[in-house]
Structures are given as structure tokens and as C-alpha cells.
Amino acid sequence: MTGILEEARRYLAWLGAQGPLGTVHPWVAVVAADLALRIRWRALGPGRGAGRLLWMCERMATAPLAPRLVPRLWDAARARGIDAPDWRGTTPPGDCVLTPDRYRALLAERATGARLTLDGDTARVWAPPGAVVRLWDGLTVTTHVADGEETTHLFPPADPADPSAGRRGAAVFTRGDRLAAGPFEAYTALRD
């Protein structure tokens, strides 16, 4: 099964990277990105929503050192009750191998602080400048680029023939990170 899991992880990571591009439905990108990282680091026992924290651990470890450092970064974060990469501090964790400038750049890549509030036919959104905001109703999806101001967007009108019409959600995609609202909020942070 290991070979199948490795191949699935690569494919899922590719699907997850499609989120801001709009080539797959946003829920596919959110779930696939989370699952790809959970498969890669399955020995750590990560639950649903752990992908964002694992993403941060991988970036702080860098690719060559990831096999050794990600488990240590993961264990340290979980021991402190951290379940997502949304901490406020700017001091890197002890095992982070990034330079201070690269660490601050990584902090800026997070979706931390993005706010998505779904209310009837609208979504109120604040996301970092340049983040991609995708709203959906069933299979109908709209894409917006955040400018750093809070905005209200109408959900796209669903196709009346779409059996999934009425199932709405929103997602914010930054360079590598993502947050979701609606039925996919479970993929925003680890839930025990």
C-alpha cells in the first residue's frame, strides 16, 4: 500500500495546488491539500485539518531536512496546543532552519487572520492582499482577488439543474496556505 499512498499523495498535492488557479472546485483543493500532507506524515497520526500545520512545519524544516525536523516541529507544536500555523509570535521555533527574513516571509504567506463569514446570499471576506477568494454554490464558482480590505460578495447563482445547488462555501488561498468556511471549515485547523 505504501506505493499507492505515495502516488496518491503526489496527485492530491497537485490537486491542492490548483485551488487559487480555479482549475478544480475549491472544496477539492482544500480537502486534497490537507489529505496529501496527512498521508505524507501519516506516522505522526495527524487528524483532519492537520494539513495547514504540517505545511508550516515542512516550510520551516526545508525539503532536505524535512524527514528529520518535521516530526520534531510537529511534536513541539502539538505539545503547546498549536493546531494550525496561525500563531502571532514572530520568533521562529527552535528547530526552524529558516533565516529570520525567510521566516517572516513564510509568516506572510499564511492565511492567518483571514475572515470568512457566510450569511444568506453573501459572504463577508477579509483576506491578505493578493489572496484568492473563491465562493461557490453547488458547482458554480466565482473568484475574487483580495485587496486587504473587508468586502462583501454575493454567492454566484447556482445552476437550477445542479443537484448540489444550495451547498455554499468560501475559501481563501494564499501562496501555499488556505482557509475554508462552510462545510469545509474542518480543514482549517486540527480537531481532536
Side-chain angles (χ1 to χ4, degrees), residues 134-159:
R134 302 195 60 215
L135 307 175
W136 66 89
D137 186 339
L139 296 175
T140 308
V141 180
T142 56
T143 303
H144 309 276
V145 177
D147 60 6
E149 300 289 325
E150 187 170 284
T151 56
T152 300
H153 300 287
L154 288 172
F155 279 101
D159 179 351

Side-chain angles (χ1 to χ4, degrees), residues 1 25 30 57 79 159 175:
M1 294 299 289
H25 199 283
V30 169
C57 291
D159 179 351
R175 187 178 167 188

Side-chain angles (χ1 to χ4, degrees), residues 46-168:
R48 181 184 302 175
R52 293 186 65 234
L53 180 57
L54 289 166
W55 167 79
M56 188 72 164
C57 291
E58 279 188 346
R59 297 311 177 280
M60 290 188 298
T62 71
L65 301 174
R68 182 171 55 88
L69 291 181
V70 167
R72 288 173 32 188
L73 288 161
W74 168 264
D75 290 341
R78 294 303 299 139
R80 289 179 176 82
I82 296 172
D83 63 3
D86 299 320
W87 54 81
R88 296 197 182 276
T90 57
T91 303
D95 284 322
C96 178
V97 297
L98 301 178
T99 64
D101 287 343
R102 286 185 61 206
Y103 180 72
R104 283 191 298 278
L106 175 61
L107 293 180
E109 290 178 19
R110 301 174 303 174
T112 301
R115 294 183 304 276
L116 297 163
T117 307
L118 310 184
D119 185 27
D121 290 338
T122 64
R124 196 169 60 249
V125 179
W126 182 90
V132 175
V133 178
R134 302 195 60 215
L135 307 175
W136 66 89
D137 186 339
L139 296 175
T140 308
V141 180
T142 56
T143 303
H144 309 276
V145 177
D147 60 6
E149 300 289 325
E150 187 170 284
T151 56
T152 300
H153 300 287
L154 288 172
F155 279 101
D159 179 351
D162 179 0
S164 61
R167 295 185 184 146
R168 295 178 170 165

Side-chain angles (χ1 to χ4, degrees), residues 24-32 134 136 138-139 171 173 184:
V24 297
H25 199 283
W27 74 263
V28 170
V30 169
V31 174
R134 302 195 60 215
W136 66 89
L139 296 175
F173 296 95
F184 300 97

